[in-house]
Amino acid sequence: MITFFRKLRQQLLTQNKFSRYLVYAIGEIVLVVIGILIALQINNWNEHQKLQEQEKKLLLSLQKEMQENIAILEDKVNYNEVSMASMDRFITLAYKERLTEYNYTSNIRIFDYNPAIVESPILDDILESDSRALLSNSELLQKLRALKANYNAIEKGEYYLDEFWNNRITDYLISAGTGYVIFSGMEADNIPDDIPTQKVLKIDDQFLSLIVVKKGLQRVWLSSQKNALERSKKVIQQLENM
């Protein structure tokens, strides 16, 4: 084919048919441009197919990660709701019946809480790196950013709760003489006689203030867990329908 066009071009030149040669040259250029455009179109289609395949694999990995985090969050929410309920009952009872003593080993849950920070490396990769370019669904990206904000809120709430426990509650419990019982996990009856301990705390204003502040911090923290759980389920539903 190339030889044919070359001979045709030479023939037109030797016959001094410049106008026809010009038309031929323009036609040849048009054919070359069309060929380039077709090649680019095929290349773009191939690249699009590759991106779609990468996006599909990425979304499947994200779905698996979120399913694991949903299971974790459900467990954490259930546990921490029990702790919240224990604090609510105790505070109501303490004020209503004017309790003066509290047996730690018989009602451990008012000081308790279960860490709830979740790991999300795939979600982080999508939001923080070039992987987000693979996600063509802007609505989904917006929901993923909101979910990450929920995860961050859980971590922030847990930080404040940990700080309050370490800086306030721990010192109070140790000064009250319950440190060995609480932090060793042992019943007072199993502790050697030469170690002074007590498992009954005096319920005073300081004690009640600690519980009320912990309850407030934990309520905000638990709310972040519930929000993350609810949003995770909605995102999973959208992923399954894609």
Side-chain angles (χ1 to χ4, degrees), residues 49-84:
Q49 291 296 108
K50 290 179 182 178
L51 286 176
Q52 280 192 324
E53 186 63 27
Q54 291 177 18
E55 181 176 305
K56 182 179 179 181
K57 291 179 180 178
L58 185 63
L59 291 178
L60 287 174
S61 298
L62 176 64
Q63 186 173 339
K64 181 179 178 181
E65 177 181 273
M66 292 188 62
Q67 288 170 339
E68 292 172 352
N69 284 341
I70 285 175
I72 292 173
L73 282 171
E74 286 177 335
D75 180 66
K76 303 298 184 179
V77 167
N78 291 337
Y79 188 99
N80 290 312
E81 279 186 328
V82 173
S83 177
M84 285 294 302

Side-chain angles (χ1 to χ4, degrees), residues 151-168:
Y151 287 168
N152 291 338
I154 293 173
E155 186 172 358
K156 185 177 181 180
E158 191 163 318
Y159 169 80
Y160 287 125
L161 197 55
D162 287 341
E163 286 292 300
F164 183 71
W165 171 271
N166 293 330
N167 296 328
R168 299 292 182 180

Side-chain angles (χ1 to χ4, degrees), residues 30-46:
V30 170
L31 288 175
V32 171
V33 171
I34 291 174
I36 293 173
L37 292 176
I38 292 174
L40 288 174
Q41 186 68 23
I42 293 173
N43 183 67
N44 289 339
W45 184 85
N46 288 334

Side-chain angles (χ1 to χ4, degrees), residues 174-212:
I174 292 175
S175 66
T178 61
Y180 197 92
V181 178
I182 294 169
F183 299 109
S184 68
M186 296 177 63
E187 293 287 345
D189 295 339
N190 298 325
I191 298 172
D193 295 335
D194 57 340
I195 298 179
T197 63
Q198 71 176 67
K199 56 184 176 179
V200 177
L201 290 171
K202 179 183 178 182
I203 300 178
D204 53 16
D205 290 340
Q206 182 182 6
F207 180 90
L208 290 175
S209 295
L210 289 174
I211 301 301
V212 170

